[in-house]
Amino acid sequence: MRDFAIVSHAVIKLLGVAFTLPAVYCLFDDQELGCMVSQVLAIPRAMELPTPNGRKTCALAIWLLQTQRLPADILALARDRITYALRRAVEGELARGGSVHEPSVFLPAFTEILPSILENVLAPRPALRAQACHAFGGLALRASQSPPLLYACAALRDGPRRT
């Protein structure tokens, strides 16, 4: 079991390199990249991991989502699943929260988790407060630099989408 965890962590770290370097990720087609992103997303979305240190594995998967530099069209396909995983991280269900690359893809989806972020700014645990402040700061920074700011403001004004 321990060997499985060590190999899993090494693979996530290798994907961290592959997902940040265009010279590496361009070797894969969109379907292959989408499949790899889906497999990474399975980690923080799982309720329980069969490893001795599931929190560390989740932390590495969230780190990978934060540091990747994949093209927007790849990320757009997994936007809702990435948002869900980061929501769980911000709410303290996973190891840590944060921000991601390509704000134009995620800004509208992140407006839906803004109430959770703001609620955790006043959380009893200092770690949750720090994560929420970091996520809120990242959201504010990205919003100020992103063209779809007007769309996000309208989404905040109108409330969460009902489907």
Side-chain angles (χ1 to χ4, degrees):
M1 186 87 65
R2 182 171 162 79
D3 292 341
F4 172 71
I6 292 170
V7 170
S8 298
H9 295 174
V11 169
I12 293 170
K13 292 173 188 176
L14 177 64
L15 285 175
V17 173
F19 285 3
T20 57
L21 299 173
V24 177
Y25 68 68
C26 75
L27 298 173
F28 302 97
D29 63 31
D30 290 356
Q31 183 178 3
E32 292 169 328
L33 287 171
C35 182
M36 286 187 269
V37 169
S38 292
Q39 295 303 311
V40 169
L41 284 168
I43 296 168
R45 295 182 76 211
M47 291 301 163
E48 187 176 322
L49 294 172
T51 64
N53 194 344
R55 288 184 63 81
K56 183 175 181 180
T57 305
C58 281
L60 283 170
I62 294 297
W63 165 81
L64 178 59
L65 294 172
Q66 291 174 308
T67 59
Q68 58 74 30
R69 294 294 181 254
L70 294 171
D73 56 332
I74 301 296
L75 298 175
L77 298 173
R79 181 184 78 178
D80 293 336
R81 291 176 293 150
I82 292 171
T83 303
Y84 174 76
L86 292 175
R87 174 188 296 149
R88 288 188 67 208
V90 166
E91 291 175 352
E93 294 180 41
L94 303 177
R96 52 180 278 187
S99 60
V100 294
H101 176 63
E102 288 295 342
S104 61
V105 173
F106 293 100
L107 192 58
F110 282 172
T111 59
E112 295 176 11
I113 65 170
L114 186 59
S116 178
I117 292 171
L118 293 174
E119 181 179 307
N120 281 306
V121 167
L122 300 174
R125 293 184 16 216
L128 278 178
R129 288 194 307 264
Q131 291 171 6
C133 288
H134 184 264
F136 186 63
L139 182 62
L141 176 65
R142 297 294 188 198
S144 70
Q145 299 171 343
S146 179
L149 178 59
L150 296 176
Y151 172 80
C153 289
L156 282 173
R157 181 185 67 239
D158 299 339
R161 291 178 292 204
R162 305 282 183 216
T163 56

